[in-house]
Amino acid sequence: MDQLKDKLRSNNVNKLDYQLSLEDMPTQWFNFFPHLPKPLPPVRDNGKRSTLEISQLIRPKILLEQNAPKENWIDIPEEVINKLIMCGRPTPLRRALSLEKHLKTPARIYFKREDTMATGSFKLSTAVAQAYYAKQEGREILISETGAGQWGMSVALVSQMFGLDARIFMARCSLEQKPYRQHYMKMLGCEVYPSPSTKTECGKELLLQTPGHPGSIGSAISEAIENALDTPGSAYLSGSNVNHVHLHQTLLGLEVKQQLSMAGESNVDHLVACVSGGSNLCGFMMPFLPEKNSGAKIDMLGVESTASPRLTQGTYEYCRSDVAGYTPEVLSHSMGESYIPAPVHVGGLRNHNSSPLVSLLCREGILRAEALDEFNAFKAGQIMLKTEGILVAPESSHAVAAAIDLAEKARIENKESVIVFLASGNGFLDLQGYNDVLNN
Amino acid sequence: MDQLKDKLRSNNVNKLDYQLSLEDMPTQWFNFFPHLPKPLPPVRDNGKRSTLEISQLIRPKILLEQNAPKENWIDIPEEVINKLIMCGRPTPLRRALSLEKHLKTPARIYFKREDTMATGSFKLSTAVAQAYYAKQEGREILISETGAGQWGMSVALVSQMFGLDARIFMARCSLEQKPYRQHYMKMLGCEVYPSPSTKTECGKELLLQTPGHPGSIGSAISEAIENALDTPGSAYLSGSNVNHVHLHQTLLGLEVKQQLSMAGESNVDHLVACVSGGSNLCGFMMPFLPEKNSGAKIDMLGVESTASPRLTQGTYEYCRSDVAGYTPEVLSHSMGESYIPAPVHVGGLRNHNSSPLVSLLCREGILRAEALDEFNAFKAGQIMLKTEGILVAPESSHAVAAAIDLAEKARIENKESVIVFLASGNGFLDLQGYNDVLNN
């Protein structure tokens, strides 16, 4: 017994989790924009109605400022910190010892556990900040879209935390595939509409054009913005794509850097995340940009879904993120505004375009992209569950698959690579999807 | 910024979680049997076949010894400790500041977060130990029953961790209500059968007697034991009721005691847990037994479901835990062996009897029992989600409801009670149940 206590004391038992104490958690967001090789290209305001004006109406003012922050570090308000702690920040970084053993790889694999957040995904970290600023401005109802539902769950939860109402437009096919996420939002008193819906004009039009339209993040964004414009006292929030979201998510990478240092890793070879709008990827990887700019060989890899392979097969062009023209035209890798992705279970990766930031990172060779089909991603998720005992979200399973590939390459090359991937969410509410894909 | 860092350093931000470091985690199970007011009554071995002999055939030998341990403290094997860490031990104790505020109570409410375990419930802690001993004896397949599925998920996961196979009989109504739990087990390569099934003789008989039989933990136990007897190299594991399970779960209470001390609490007024077989309750509360025996006024409260109100309305009598007569007759509070509980969503509370230990605790006045209906429990789960942001399992929501009642009583009496309840699991996979009960 004393022997075992000694082992626990000297960390000779399996040390898996690297966890920050509260006093070490980041209290500022990292402004990575000055570290980009070139500024983000300007947006085009070509709509029937000024998208800039729309944005100023529906978004809290300070969030617009945070799209292009002036300071290098941006203080996080104390109330936001407190709510982030309540939601599960800081999250652990775990060494994937069992996965390494299974793969017989000399690589050291770590994963950031955003699956431990209260709603089961990383989305909460920006939801808290956005709801806080909305409340500060006296807004009373939060309106947003959601794809697979992780973002919607987060908006629903923070609305309660700040005593606000919430209304969510959710891509119809995702809502039908993942009814539990809708149940969760409704338990929190949140209104949920399948998109396209008959609640908005643009929803009605989409249904007229394409009866049985499965919906997409693009259709849901359009409906949420139209509804926010029509709802006095509302704030429109974004779950991804826009700059202030990427900024808020830098907490992920800032934590990881400290945690890698706790684990005794001075270098990292590969950072891997799934990518759509890319806020999980950017929040995770952008804090490593200064090191990369200083010559550190860090391979940044984004894994998208073959259901919408914008970065690997799309066109770099001006297009909108929504289908109805409420958002500005942004220069981004896109499948085209009219592209309807197949109704895969990976609802979080179904955007028709990526964000300007992710697209720029790809164009400039900072970010490497791969596209992966659902079956192979889900198989990797199954390996992760069988070895590490952790069920990640279908989106995150894309990152797992790529990390496994890199670890196998390291085995062949007999190289002690350090691979860090992001478990952006948990997969408990996606078990129907896992079952459909793996067993049918 | 420096101010905020100072606040973080001095813990002036909301201190919510009390978490043990690895070196402080318990490395021994607590033998509470010597602290009981009287020994557990002997079992009766009246079956058509000796249940003692059955038990010796299907259960790992050391587990039978752990039903009546000789030492006061039982060393936990190092490999079990390592796997427990991987599964999420030690778990946090959280102060429910937001719930307190919502209730305007002077009471300090804490809850033990077994919802953070890898499978989403406390069941893993004994599953790891039982699988370890089964493997030590060269057994190759783990066979067990499950009610709501939390136990089955845990057996499925640990089978993978130890390189074993697994087979689970799950109460049919729970399987239909909670298909996600079945998907999870199958992802881990586990065989799952709805009970009653045609896989066993006793299953066939039950289906003949009662076509469309919804199943119960009792039917599933019978089938699992029969199947284990018929399967060479198998081990039969129990998720609750038996003494070695209660013993393994003492980790919960041992952790809580240390964590309350970290929180500066020298006394606790109320311990609250849901109860069926009672391993979550006993594991949580039995480590407090020495203090209670020394005169500390600790109110121990178990909350059962009105669907099977054994402790509040049942008879203290000899009866079996299974329906086919493979288990010994034990003296326990029971609704009768032929009682079929309504197919409520709270699958984990549907046993027709409680364990001998829980029943003895009630008889001796150590444990107080209340019965609660599903709707009121689920409403409490909703309050918990809205205030604390944590979705607990339907079973755990029974404990939440009772804790809320106690906190409201403390408000009326203006008393600074210390209330600790057990969040025995998370409710993500029970969202359909929550939705059905709360919205229909």
Side-chain angles (χ1 to χ4, degrees), chain B residues 19-40:
Chain B
Q19 179 57 303
L20 299 175
S21 64
L22 284 194
E23 66 181 61
D24 287 328
M25 74 180 279
T27 54
Q28 296 178 308
W29 292 302
F30 172 60
N31 179 7
F32 55 84
F33 294 98
H35 302 273
L36 295 174
K38 56 168 75 167
L40 285 174

Side-chain angles (χ1 to χ4, degrees), chain A residues 1 4-5 7-9 13-14 16 22-25 27-28 75-76 78 81-82 85-86 94 98 118-119 153 157 160 177 179-180 183-184 187-188 382 385-389 391 428-429 431-432 434-435 438, chain B residues 1 4-5 7-9 13-14 16 22-25 27-28 75-76 78 81-82 85-86 94 98 118-119 153 157 160 177 179-180 183-184 187-188 382 385-389 391 428-429 431-432 434-435 438:
Chain A
M1 179 60 347
L4 183 51
K5 268 285 175 205
K7 285 195 178 182
L8 284 169
R9 280 197 197 100
V13 292
N14 290 350
L16 295 175
L22 285 195
E23 65 181 63
D24 288 328
M25 75 180 279
T27 54
Q28 295 178 309
D75 287 354
I76 307 174
E78 184 177 339
I81 296 268
N82 276 329
I85 293 170
M86 197 172 157
R94 178 166 283 200
S98 300
T119 52
M153 286 171 69
L157 182 56
Q160 278 294 323
Q177 284 165 346
Y180 284 33
H183 299 331
Y184 180 95
M187 258 185 93
L188 284 159
Q382 187 173 31
L385 175 61
K386 285 186 171 182
T387 55
E388 290 296 319
L391 179 65
F428 280 119
L429 300 190
L431 276 161
Q432 189 64 53
Y434 271 114
N435 188 61
L438 292 173
Chain B
M1 179 66 337
L4 184 51
K5 268 285 176 208
K7 284 194 178 182
L8 284 168
R9 279 197 197 100
V13 293
N14 288 350
L16 295 175
L22 284 194
E23 66 181 61
D24 287 328
M25 74 180 279
T27 54
Q28 296 178 308
D75 286 354
I76 308 174
E78 185 178 338
I81 294 270
N82 276 328
I85 293 170
M86 196 171 156
R94 177 166 283 200
S98 300
T119 53
M153 287 172 68
L157 182 57
Q160 278 293 325
Q177 284 164 345
Y180 284 33
H183 299 331
Y184 180 95
M187 257 186 93
L188 284 160
Q382 186 172 30
L385 175 60
K386 286 186 171 183
T387 54
E388 291 296 318
L391 180 64
F428 280 119
L429 300 190
L431 276 161
Q432 189 66 52
Y434 271 114
N435 187 62
L438 292 174

